[in-house]
Amino acid sequence: MFGNYFTHGKAAESLAGDRARMVDTQLRSRGIRDERLLAAMAKVPREEFISSEDVADAYGDFPLPIGAGQTISQPYIVAAMVEALEVNPEDRVLEVGTGTGYEAAILAELAADVWTIERHAELVDKAREILQRLGYADVHVLHGDGSLGLGEHAPFNKILVAAAAPRVPETLVSQLADGGRLVVPVGSRSEQQVEVMRKLGDQISITKHDRCRFVPLVGAQGWEL
Ligand code: SAH
Protein backbone atom coordinates (compact mmCIF):
# COMPACT_ATOMS: atom_id res chain seq x y z
CA MET A 1 0.00 0.00 0.00
CA PHE A 2 2.95 2.34 0.46
CA GLY A 3 4.26 1.69 -3.06
CA ASN A 4 2.70 4.71 -4.70
CA TYR A 5 2.55 6.92 -1.69
CA PHE A 6 6.27 7.08 -0.96
CA THR A 7 8.97 8.31 -3.32
CA HIS A 8 12.28 6.93 -2.12
CA GLY A 9 11.11 6.96 1.48
CA LYS A 10 9.63 10.46 1.60
CA ALA A 11 5.88 10.85 1.19
CA ALA A 12 4.94 12.22 -2.23
CA GLU A 13 2.46 14.53 -0.50
CA SER A 14 5.16 15.94 1.69
CA LEU A 15 7.40 16.55 -1.35
CA ALA A 16 4.56 18.42 -3.05
CA GLY A 17 4.30 20.55 0.10
CA ASP A 18 8.07 21.16 0.04
CA ARG A 19 7.77 22.23 -3.62
CA ALA A 20 4.96 24.71 -2.92
CA ARG A 21 6.88 26.15 0.05
CA MET A 22 10.04 26.47 -2.06
CA VAL A 23 8.13 28.56 -4.62
CA ASP A 24 6.89 30.93 -1.89
CA THR A 25 9.87 31.17 0.42
CA GLN A 26 12.79 30.91 -2.04
CA LEU A 27 11.38 32.34 -5.28
CA ARG A 28 8.48 34.77 -4.72
CA SER A 29 9.96 36.22 -1.56
CA ARG A 30 13.27 36.91 -3.35
CA GLY A 31 11.68 38.69 -6.26
CA ILE A 32 10.95 36.08 -8.95
CA ARG A 33 7.85 37.53 -10.61
CA ASP A 34 7.24 35.62 -13.88
CA GLU A 35 4.00 33.73 -13.18
CA ARG A 36 4.50 31.17 -15.96
CA LEU A 37 7.92 30.36 -14.53
CA LEU A 38 6.56 30.14 -10.96
CA ALA A 39 3.88 27.72 -12.20
CA ALA A 40 6.53 25.60 -13.93
CA MET A 41 8.66 25.53 -10.76
CA ALA A 42 5.53 24.52 -8.80
CA LYS A 43 4.88 21.67 -11.25
CA VAL A 44 8.17 19.97 -12.19
CA PRO A 45 9.09 17.28 -9.60
CA ARG A 46 12.72 18.10 -8.81
CA GLU A 47 12.97 14.97 -6.61
CA GLU A 48 12.78 12.79 -9.73
CA PHE A 49 15.96 14.29 -11.18
CA ILE A 50 18.29 13.83 -8.22
CA SER A 51 19.78 10.81 -6.51
CA SER A 52 17.59 8.84 -4.12
CA GLU A 53 19.82 9.72 -1.12
CA ASP A 54 19.13 13.42 -1.64
CA VAL A 55 15.37 13.26 -2.11
CA ALA A 56 14.63 14.68 1.34
CA ASP A 57 16.70 17.73 0.25
CA ALA A 58 15.09 18.03 -3.19
CA TYR A 59 13.72 21.51 -2.38
CA GLY A 60 16.57 22.66 -0.14
CA ASP A 61 18.02 26.12 -0.71
CA PHE A 62 21.44 24.77 -1.77
CA PRO A 63 23.11 23.00 -4.71
CA LEU A 64 23.11 19.18 -4.88
CA PRO A 65 25.56 16.66 -6.39
CA ILE A 66 24.31 15.04 -9.63
CA GLY A 67 27.13 12.61 -10.55
CA ALA A 68 30.20 12.99 -12.80
CA GLY A 69 31.54 15.57 -10.30
CA GLN A 70 28.81 18.05 -11.28
CA THR A 71 26.15 19.89 -9.27
CA ILE A 72 22.68 21.28 -9.85
CA SER A 73 22.11 24.85 -8.62
CA GLN A 74 19.59 25.62 -5.91
CA PRO A 75 16.05 26.34 -7.15
CA TYR A 76 16.45 30.13 -6.84
CA ILE A 77 19.46 30.24 -9.20
CA VAL A 78 17.62 28.07 -11.76
CA ALA A 79 14.62 30.44 -11.53
CA ALA A 80 16.74 33.61 -11.72
CA MET A 81 18.60 32.35 -14.82
CA VAL A 82 15.39 31.26 -16.58
CA GLU A 83 13.59 34.50 -15.64
CA ALA A 84 16.48 36.50 -17.15
CA LEU A 85 16.02 34.51 -20.37
CA GLU A 86 12.43 35.90 -20.77
CA VAL A 87 11.10 32.76 -22.48
CA ASN A 88 8.05 33.14 -24.74
CA PRO A 89 5.71 30.24 -25.63
CA GLU A 90 6.82 30.24 -29.28
CA ASP A 91 10.58 30.21 -28.52
CA ARG A 92 13.17 27.69 -29.65
CA VAL A 93 15.55 27.36 -26.72
CA LEU A 94 19.05 25.88 -26.39
CA GLU A 95 20.41 24.90 -22.97
CA VAL A 96 24.13 24.18 -22.60
CA GLY A 97 24.78 21.81 -19.69
CA THR A 98 21.84 19.39 -19.36
CA GLY A 99 23.05 17.90 -16.07
CA THR A 100 20.00 16.12 -14.65
CA GLY A 101 17.51 17.51 -17.18
CA TYR A 102 15.59 19.44 -14.48
CA GLU A 103 16.13 22.88 -16.00
CA ALA A 104 15.33 21.48 -19.47
CA ALA A 105 11.96 20.32 -18.08
CA ILE A 106 11.30 23.82 -16.69
CA LEU A 107 12.21 25.28 -20.12
CA ALA A 108 9.94 22.73 -21.83
CA GLU A 109 7.03 24.04 -19.73
CA LEU A 110 7.69 27.55 -21.08
CA ALA A 111 8.91 27.21 -24.69
CA ALA A 112 7.84 25.56 -27.95
CA ASP A 113 11.02 23.62 -28.61
CA VAL A 114 13.93 22.77 -26.28
CA TRP A 115 17.39 21.53 -27.27
CA THR A 116 19.89 20.67 -24.57
CA ILE A 117 23.48 19.47 -24.80
CA GLU A 118 25.72 17.79 -22.20
CA ARG A 119 29.35 16.68 -22.38
CA HIS A 120 29.09 13.73 -19.93
CA ALA A 121 27.51 10.73 -21.70
CA GLU A 122 26.29 9.15 -18.44
CA LEU A 123 24.35 12.33 -17.57
CA VAL A 124 22.88 12.43 -21.11
CA ASP A 125 21.51 8.89 -20.75
CA LYS A 126 20.00 9.56 -17.32
CA ALA A 127 18.46 12.89 -18.36
CA ARG A 128 16.89 11.35 -21.50
CA GLU A 129 15.37 8.54 -19.47
CA ILE A 130 13.85 10.78 -16.81
CA LEU A 131 12.58 13.39 -19.29
CA GLN A 132 10.84 10.62 -21.26
CA ARG A 133 9.34 9.12 -18.13
CA LEU A 134 7.92 12.47 -16.99
CA GLY A 135 6.37 13.27 -20.37
CA TYR A 136 9.04 15.61 -21.76
CA ALA A 137 9.96 13.23 -24.59
CA ASP A 138 10.03 16.07 -27.11
CA VAL A 139 13.06 17.71 -25.42
CA HIS A 140 16.09 16.99 -27.63
CA VAL A 141 19.00 15.81 -25.44
CA LEU A 142 22.34 15.71 -27.25
CA HIS A 143 25.83 14.60 -26.25
CA GLY A 144 28.71 16.93 -27.12
CA ASP A 145 30.55 20.20 -26.53
CA GLY A 146 27.79 22.74 -26.01
CA SER A 147 30.26 25.64 -25.87
CA LEU A 148 30.07 25.41 -29.67
CA GLY A 149 26.27 25.38 -29.60
CA LEU A 150 24.29 23.45 -32.20
CA GLY A 151 25.02 25.09 -35.54
CA GLU A 152 22.85 22.68 -37.52
CA HIS A 153 19.77 23.60 -35.47
CA ALA A 154 20.42 27.35 -35.09
CA PRO A 155 19.17 30.00 -34.78
CA PHE A 156 17.70 29.91 -31.29
CA ASN A 157 15.54 32.63 -29.73
CA LYS A 158 17.05 31.94 -26.31
CA ILE A 159 20.27 30.29 -25.16
CA LEU A 160 20.93 29.42 -21.51
CA VAL A 161 24.39 28.33 -20.40
CA ALA A 162 24.22 26.41 -17.11
CA ALA A 163 28.01 26.28 -16.57
CA ALA A 164 30.62 29.00 -16.03
CA ALA A 165 32.48 30.42 -19.04
CA PRO A 166 35.75 32.41 -19.00
CA ARG A 167 34.17 34.81 -21.54
CA VAL A 168 30.95 34.96 -23.55
CA PRO A 169 31.19 32.11 -26.14
CA GLU A 170 31.16 33.89 -29.54
CA THR A 171 29.76 30.87 -31.37
CA LEU A 172 26.69 30.92 -29.13
CA VAL A 173 26.16 34.63 -29.86
CA SER A 174 26.30 33.82 -33.58
CA GLN A 175 23.56 31.19 -33.12
CA LEU A 176 21.10 33.67 -31.60
CA ALA A 177 18.10 34.74 -33.68
CA ASP A 178 17.40 38.45 -34.13
CA GLY A 179 15.83 39.68 -30.89
CA GLY A 180 17.37 36.70 -29.11
CA ARG A 181 18.83 36.48 -25.61
CA LEU A 182 21.78 34.60 -24.17
CA VAL A 183 22.18 34.09 -20.41
CA VAL A 184 25.60 32.91 -19.28
CA PRO A 185 27.66 33.01 -16.06
CA VAL A 186 31.01 34.64 -16.92
CA GLY A 187 34.09 35.02 -14.73
CA SER A 188 36.83 33.01 -13.08
CA ARG A 189 36.62 29.32 -12.23
CA SER A 190 35.62 30.18 -8.67
CA GLU A 191 33.24 33.14 -9.09
CA GLN A 192 31.12 34.53 -11.87
CA GLN A 193 28.43 37.04 -12.67
CA VAL A 194 25.35 36.20 -14.75
CA GLU A 195 25.54 38.14 -18.04
CA VAL A 196 22.50 38.69 -20.25
CA MET A 197 23.16 39.49 -23.92
CA ARG A 198 20.49 40.74 -26.25
CA LYS A 199 20.89 40.69 -30.02
CA LEU A 200 18.97 43.31 -32.01
CA GLY A 201 20.01 43.50 -35.66
CA ASP A 202 23.79 43.85 -35.52
CA GLN A 203 23.66 45.46 -32.07
CA ILE A 204 24.55 43.46 -28.97
CA SER A 205 23.72 44.81 -25.51
CA ILE A 206 24.93 43.26 -22.27
CA THR A 207 23.62 43.60 -18.73
CA LYS A 208 25.25 42.08 -15.67
CA HIS A 209 23.23 40.40 -12.93
CA ASP A 210 23.80 38.38 -9.74
CA ARG A 211 27.13 36.98 -8.59
CA CYS A 212 27.12 33.19 -8.71
CA ARG A 213 29.20 30.04 -8.59
CA PHE A 214 28.77 27.42 -11.32
CA VAL A 215 30.78 24.35 -12.37
CA PRO A 216 33.05 25.18 -15.33
CA LEU A 217 31.98 25.10 -18.96
CA VAL A 218 34.63 22.73 -20.33
CA GLY A 219 35.13 22.92 -24.09
CA ALA A 220 36.45 24.71 -27.13
CA GLN A 221 34.85 28.03 -26.07
CA GLY A 222 35.05 27.34 -22.36
CA TRP A 223 37.77 26.19 -19.96
CA GLU A 224 40.34 23.50 -20.61
CA LEU A 225 39.73 20.36 -18.55
N1 SAH B 1 20.99 22.54 -15.81
C1 SAH B 1 21.41 21.36 -15.08
C2 SAH B 1 22.59 21.58 -14.19
C3 SAH B 1 23.79 22.01 -14.95
S1 SAH B 1 25.33 21.71 -14.15
C4 SAH B 1 20.27 20.71 -14.34
O1 SAH B 1 19.14 21.20 -14.41
O2 SAH B 1 20.52 19.67 -13.71
C5 SAH B 1 26.35 22.11 -15.52
C6 SAH B 1 26.47 21.00 -16.54
O3 SAH B 1 27.20 21.52 -17.64
C7 SAH B 1 27.25 19.80 -16.02
O4 SAH B 1 26.46 18.65 -16.14
C8 SAH B 1 28.47 19.75 -16.96
O5 SAH B 1 28.89 18.42 -17.26
C9 SAH B 1 27.94 20.45 -18.19
N2 SAH B 1 28.95 21.00 -19.10
C10 SAH B 1 30.11 21.61 -18.81
N3 SAH B 1 30.75 21.99 -19.94
C11 SAH B 1 29.94 21.61 -20.98
C12 SAH B 1 30.04 21.73 -22.40
N4 SAH B 1 31.07 22.31 -23.01
N5 SAH B 1 29.03 21.23 -23.14
C13 SAH B 1 27.95 20.63 -22.56
N6 SAH B 1 27.82 20.49 -21.22
C14 SAH B 1 28.79 20.98 -20.43
PDB file of all heavy atoms in Angstrom, residues 44-59:
ATOM      1  N   VAL A  44       7.152  20.975 -11.851  1.00  0.00           N
ATOM      2  CA  VAL A  44       8.172  19.966 -12.189  1.00  0.00           C
ATOM      3  C   VAL A  44       8.733  19.315 -10.922  1.00  0.00           C
ATOM      4  O   VAL A  44       9.226  20.004 -10.028  1.00  0.00           O
ATOM      5  CB  VAL A  44       9.317  20.598 -13.026  1.00  0.00           C
ATOM      6  CG1 VAL A  44      10.413  19.581 -13.312  1.00  0.00           C
ATOM      7  CG2 VAL A  44       8.761  21.174 -14.334  1.00  0.00           C
ATOM      8  N   PRO A  45       8.643  17.983 -10.817  1.00  0.00           N
ATOM      9  CA  PRO A  45       9.090  17.281  -9.598  1.00  0.00           C
ATOM     10  C   PRO A  45      10.615  17.126  -9.548  1.00  0.00           C
ATOM     11  O   PRO A  45      11.186  16.184 -10.088  1.00  0.00           O
ATOM     12  CB  PRO A  45       8.403  15.917  -9.709  1.00  0.00           C
ATOM     13  CG  PRO A  45       8.236  15.694 -11.187  1.00  0.00           C
ATOM     14  CD  PRO A  45       8.107  17.046 -11.827  1.00  0.00           C
ATOM     15  N   ARG A  46      11.259  18.082  -8.893  1.00  0.00           N
ATOM     16  CA  ARG A  46      12.723  18.102  -8.814  1.00  0.00           C
ATOM     17  C   ARG A  46      13.284  16.808  -8.201  1.00  0.00           C
ATOM     18  O   ARG A  46      14.370  16.362  -8.555  1.00  0.00           O
ATOM     19  CB  ARG A  46      13.115  19.311  -7.964  1.00  0.00           C
ATOM     20  CG  ARG A  46      14.582  19.632  -7.901  1.00  0.00           C
ATOM     21  CD  ARG A  46      14.725  20.950  -7.132  1.00  0.00           C
ATOM     22  NE  ARG A  46      16.059  21.206  -6.680  1.00  0.00           N
ATOM     23  CZ  ARG A  46      16.945  21.887  -7.384  1.00  0.00           C
ATOM     24  NH1 ARG A  46      16.630  22.380  -8.551  1.00  0.00           N
ATOM     25  NH2 ARG A  46      18.155  22.089  -6.900  1.00  0.00           N
ATOM     26  N   GLU A  47      12.507  16.193  -7.269  1.00  0.00           N
ATOM     27  CA  GLU A  47      12.971  14.969  -6.605  1.00  0.00           C
ATOM     28  C   GLU A  47      13.254  13.842  -7.593  1.00  0.00           C
ATOM     29  O   GLU A  47      14.079  12.972  -7.325  1.00  0.00           O
ATOM     30  CB  GLU A  47      11.966  14.508  -5.544  1.00  0.00           C
ATOM     31  CG  GLU A  47      10.585  14.089  -6.054  1.00  0.00           C
ATOM     32  CD  GLU A  47       9.623  15.261  -6.208  1.00  0.00           C
ATOM     33  OE1 GLU A  47      10.083  16.429  -6.199  1.00  0.00           O
ATOM     34  OE2 GLU A  47       8.403  15.019  -6.341  1.00  0.00           O
ATOM     35  N   GLU A  48      12.589  13.863  -8.751  1.00  0.00           N
ATOM     36  CA  GLU A  48      12.776  12.786  -9.729  1.00  0.00           C
ATOM     37  C   GLU A  48      14.123  12.891 -10.445  1.00  0.00           C
ATOM     38  O   GLU A  48      14.579  11.936 -11.064  1.00  0.00           O
ATOM     39  CB  GLU A  48      11.667  12.843 -10.790  1.00  0.00           C
ATOM     40  CG  GLU A  48      10.273  12.649 -10.239  1.00  0.00           C
ATOM     41  CD  GLU A  48       9.987  11.200  -9.872  1.00  0.00           C
ATOM     42  OE1 GLU A  48      10.744  10.298 -10.270  1.00  0.00           O
ATOM     43  OE2 GLU A  48       8.980  10.993  -9.156  1.00  0.00           O
ATOM     44  N   PHE A  49      14.742  14.057 -10.398  1.00  0.00           N
ATOM     45  CA  PHE A  49      15.957  14.291 -11.179  1.00  0.00           C
ATOM     46  C   PHE A  49      17.234  14.058 -10.376  1.00  0.00           C
ATOM     47  O   PHE A  49      18.318  14.041 -10.938  1.00  0.00           O
ATOM     48  CB  PHE A  49      15.964  15.732 -11.710  1.00  0.00           C
ATOM     49  CG  PHE A  49      14.911  15.983 -12.764  1.00  0.00           C
ATOM     50  CD1 PHE A  49      13.611  16.330 -12.413  1.00  0.00           C
ATOM     51  CD2 PHE A  49      15.214  15.841 -14.114  1.00  0.00           C
ATOM     52  CE1 PHE A  49      12.636  16.550 -13.377  1.00  0.00           C
ATOM     53  CE2 PHE A  49      14.250  16.066 -15.090  1.00  0.00           C
ATOM     54  CZ  PHE A  49      12.960  16.416 -14.719  1.00  0.00           C
ATOM     55  N   ILE A  50      17.094  13.928  -9.051  1.00  0.00           N
ATOM     56  CA  ILE A  50      18.293  13.831  -8.219  1.00  0.00           C
ATOM     57  C   ILE A  50      18.416  12.427  -7.634  1.00  0.00           C
ATOM     58  O   ILE A  50      17.511  11.611  -7.772  1.00  0.00           O
ATOM     59  CB  ILE A  50      18.256  14.886  -7.098  1.00  0.00           C
ATOM     60  CG1 ILE A  50      17.017  14.686  -6.247  1.00  0.00           C
ATOM     61  CG2 ILE A  50      18.297  16.296  -7.708  1.00  0.00           C
ATOM     62  CD1 ILE A  50      16.912  15.653  -5.115  1.00  0.00           C
ATOM     63  N   SER A  51      19.539  12.175  -6.976  1.00  0.00           N
ATOM     64  CA  SER A  51      19.777  10.810  -6.509  1.00  0.00           C
ATOM     65  C   SER A  51      18.865  10.508  -5.314  1.00  0.00           C
ATOM     66  O   SER A  51      18.455  11.408  -4.572  1.00  0.00           O
ATOM     67  CB  SER A  51      21.250  10.637  -6.166  1.00  0.00           C
ATOM     68  OG  SER A  51      21.419  10.607  -4.792  1.00  0.00           O
ATOM     69  N   SER A  52      18.564   9.214  -5.147  1.00  0.00           N
ATOM     70  CA  SER A  52      17.586   8.839  -4.122  1.00  0.00           C
ATOM     71  C   SER A  52      18.041   9.255  -2.721  1.00  0.00           C
ATOM     72  O   SER A  52      17.204   9.565  -1.876  1.00  0.00           O
ATOM     73  CB  SER A  52      17.281   7.356  -4.186  1.00  0.00           C
ATOM     74  OG  SER A  52      18.476   6.632  -4.203  1.00  0.00           O
ATOM     75  N   GLU A  53      19.368   9.310  -2.477  1.00  0.00           N
ATOM     76  CA  GLU A  53      19.822   9.717  -1.123  1.00  0.00           C
ATOM     77  C   GLU A  53      19.498  11.180  -0.828  1.00  0.00           C
ATOM     78  O   GLU A  53      19.455  11.581   0.328  1.00  0.00           O
ATOM     79  CB  GLU A  53      21.340   9.586  -0.943  1.00  0.00           C
ATOM     80  CG  GLU A  53      21.933   8.226  -1.148  1.00  0.00           C
ATOM     81  CD  GLU A  53      22.568   8.120  -2.512  1.00  0.00           C
ATOM     82  OE1 GLU A  53      23.652   8.690  -2.706  1.00  0.00           O
ATOM     83  OE2 GLU A  53      21.957   7.484  -3.404  1.00  0.00           O
ATOM     84  N   ASP A  54      19.327  11.975  -1.860  1.00  0.00           N
ATOM     85  CA  ASP A  54      19.131  13.417  -1.638  1.00  0.00           C
ATOM     86  C   ASP A  54      17.673  13.856  -1.718  1.00  0.00           C
ATOM     87  O   ASP A  54      17.391  15.050  -1.646  1.00  0.00           O
ATOM     88  CB  ASP A  54      19.944  14.221  -2.674  1.00  0.00           C
ATOM     89  CG  ASP A  54      21.434  14.094  -2.437  1.00  0.00           C
ATOM     90  OD1 ASP A  54      21.846  14.056  -1.263  1.00  0.00           O
ATOM     91  OD2 ASP A  54      22.181  14.010  -3.427  1.00  0.00           O
ATOM     92  N   VAL A  55      16.764  12.884  -1.862  1.00  0.00           N
ATOM     93  CA  VAL A  55      15.366  13.259  -2.109  1.00  0.00           C
ATOM     94  C   VAL A  55      14.780  14.140  -0.998  1.00  0.00           C
ATOM     95  O   VAL A  55      14.043  15.091  -1.274  1.00  0.00           O
ATOM     96  CB  VAL A  55      14.504  12.001  -2.354  1.00  0.00           C
ATOM     97  CG1 VAL A  55      13.030  12.287  -2.156  1.00  0.00           C
ATOM     98  CG2 VAL A  55      14.735  11.519  -3.781  1.00  0.00           C
ATOM     99  N   ALA A  56      15.165  13.858   0.240  1.00  0.00           N
ATOM    100  CA  ALA A  56      14.629  14.681   1.340  1.00  0.00           C
ATOM    101  C   ALA A  56      15.063  16.143   1.184  1.00  0.00           C
ATOM    102  O   ALA A  56      14.418  17.051   1.713  1.00  0.00           O
ATOM    103  CB  ALA A  56      15.079  14.128   2.683  1.00  0.00           C
ATOM    104  N   ASP A  57      16.177  16.375   0.460  1.00  0.00           N
ATOM    105  CA  ASP A  57      16.701  17.734   0.254  1.00  0.00           C
ATOM    106  C   ASP A  57      16.331  18.299  -1.117  1.00  0.00           C
ATOM    107  O   ASP A  57      16.910  19.308  -1.545  1.00  0.00           O
ATOM    108  CB  ASP A  57      18.235  17.724   0.351  1.00  0.00           C
ATOM    109  CG  ASP A  57      18.707  17.538   1.783  1.00  0.00           C
ATOM    110  OD1 ASP A  57      17.961  17.903   2.706  1.00  0.00           O
ATOM    111  OD2 ASP A  57      19.827  17.029   1.960  1.00  0.00           O
ATOM    112  N   ALA A  58      15.383  17.652  -1.796  1.00  0.00           N
ATOM    113  CA  ALA A  58      15.091  18.031  -3.187  1.00  0.00           C
ATOM    114  C   ALA A  58      14.761  19.513  -3.312  1.00  0.00           C
ATOM    115  O   ALA A  58      15.079  20.137  -4.333  1.00  0.00           O
ATOM    116  CB  ALA A  58      13.927  17.204  -3.729  1.00  0.00           C
ATOM    117  N   TYR A  59      14.126  20.100  -2.297  1.00  0.00           N
ATOM    118  CA  TYR A  59      13.717  21.511  -2.380  1.00  0.00           C
ATOM    119  C   TYR A  59      14.516  22.389  -1.432  1.00  0.00           C
ATOM    120  O   TYR A  59      14.113  23.509  -1.102  1.00  0.00           O
ATOM    121  CB  TYR A  59      12.200  21.628  -2.165  1.00  0.00           C
ATOM    122  CG  TYR A  59      11.488  20.899  -3.290  1.00  0.00           C
ATOM    123  CD1 TYR A  59      11.025  19.597  -3.120  1.00  0.00           C
ATOM    124  CD2 TYR A  59      11.389  21.483  -4.548  1.00  0.00           C
ATOM    125  CE1 TYR A  59      10.450  18.897  -4.175  1.00  0.00           C
ATOM    126  CE2 TYR A  59      10.820  20.791  -5.607  1.00  0.00           C
ATOM    127  CZ  TYR A  59      10.351  19.511  -5.410  1.00  0.00           C
ATOM    128  OH  TYR A  59       9.811  18.832  -6.468  1.00  0.00           O
TER     129      TYR A  59
END
